[in-house]
Amino acid sequence: MPESPRWLIKMGREEEGRYILGRLRGETGEDEGKAEAEFQDIRNNVELERKTSKQQSYFAMFFGIGAGKLHTARRVQLVIWLQILQEWIGIAGITIYGPVIFTIAGISPNDRLWVAGLNDITYMLATLLCVFTLDRIGRRWTLYWGSVGQGICMFVAGGLAKATQDASEGNKKGVGGAATFFVFLFTAIFGATWLTVPWLYPAEIFPLQVRAKGNAWGVVGWSIGNGWTVLLLPTMFKKMGERSLYVFGGVNVLTILTTWAFYPETNQRTLEEMNLVFASDSWFTWEAEKNYAILKEQNPELVQAAQRGNSVIDPETGAAMRKGSLVPRNLSLDTKALANGEGSDEYEEKKL
């Protein structure tokens, strides 16, 4: 398997990177020129990374120092909290404390471990479903249906676990089996939804020059969420018993609201398009999409460039840029400026 062309070019091995791009994109017929265009874009991005290296430290990313309209700090917060929520929707509790949950549901001591192992296998197989649905319905809807299904499972499993404890000996096995079924169903839904998106999302929202560090911030969020739950879960199950599942159900309800309010859709959008989406000064998705729609209407060339994967925002100034083409002079990514028609009439040649 060859090295990534971007990595090779970044390491100064441009000939190797150009060769691999040629093999991947093709060099003849309709594909002629595609590899060279992508090669030049990567070289420009590598040069941009060198020029803006001071803005790419973890400290600068977290506080948004010098980010301008890129709003890097907002993206860092989004990926950290998405990973924390991933742990608190219930998977940490079910994976680590599965035998305890099955005990509450009435499973015998001899059966707890193999039932927990079977649940983990279900978890693994369910991830295959996401392969076929993720790009069809998008990231937001994947999180939506996952949160709804998981929330229902947690509330029902908690109720049935309580019913198992109160049931007569003759009915306890049947009610406990129903509670176990909903635990299995939760695990399957999680594997098909929330397992994947929080790990994919960071790679789809950060600018190329800080993409790797953006993924690292996601791992920081996972570490915080996982450590937090592992420390608190023993106390939760000891004090609350089956009611701990209600807490997980409540967090699932919360994730529906947070996804709707703060996490814009990334499906079928380039990294450069996401820069335009995050150009809005508002955290809310409807404002970000409104801002993007105005950019698309007032500056179609800018959005078309982003869709082709060309850099469209200068991270040093926060202003729009367009490599080797006509650019509106004094172009602003501010919706108010665009609504007033500022920076949309005069054009000048800008070479990068």
Side-chain angles (χ1 to χ4, degrees), residues 93 105-106 149 211 260 275 282:
R211 196 180 188 189
W260 170 73
N275 285 342
S282 173

Side-chain angles (χ1 to χ4, degrees), residues 134-190:
L134 189 61
D135 286 334
R136 291 179 181 271
I137 65 176
R139 284 45 167 166
R140 280 162 59 88
W141 278 102
T142 298
L143 295 178
Y144 284 150
W145 85 262
S147 296
V148 171
Q150 291 163 175
I152 292 172
C153 288
M154 287 291 93
F155 285 121
V156 174
L160 289 173
K162 175 62 176 175
T164 301
Q165 297 174 5
D166 298 336
S168 63
E169 288 299 323
N171 296 326
K172 184 167 292 189
K173 187 174 182 179
V175 179
T180 302
F181 166 78
F182 279 98
V183 171
F184 271 65
L185 183 59
F186 169 90
T187 304
I189 295 174
F190 176 85

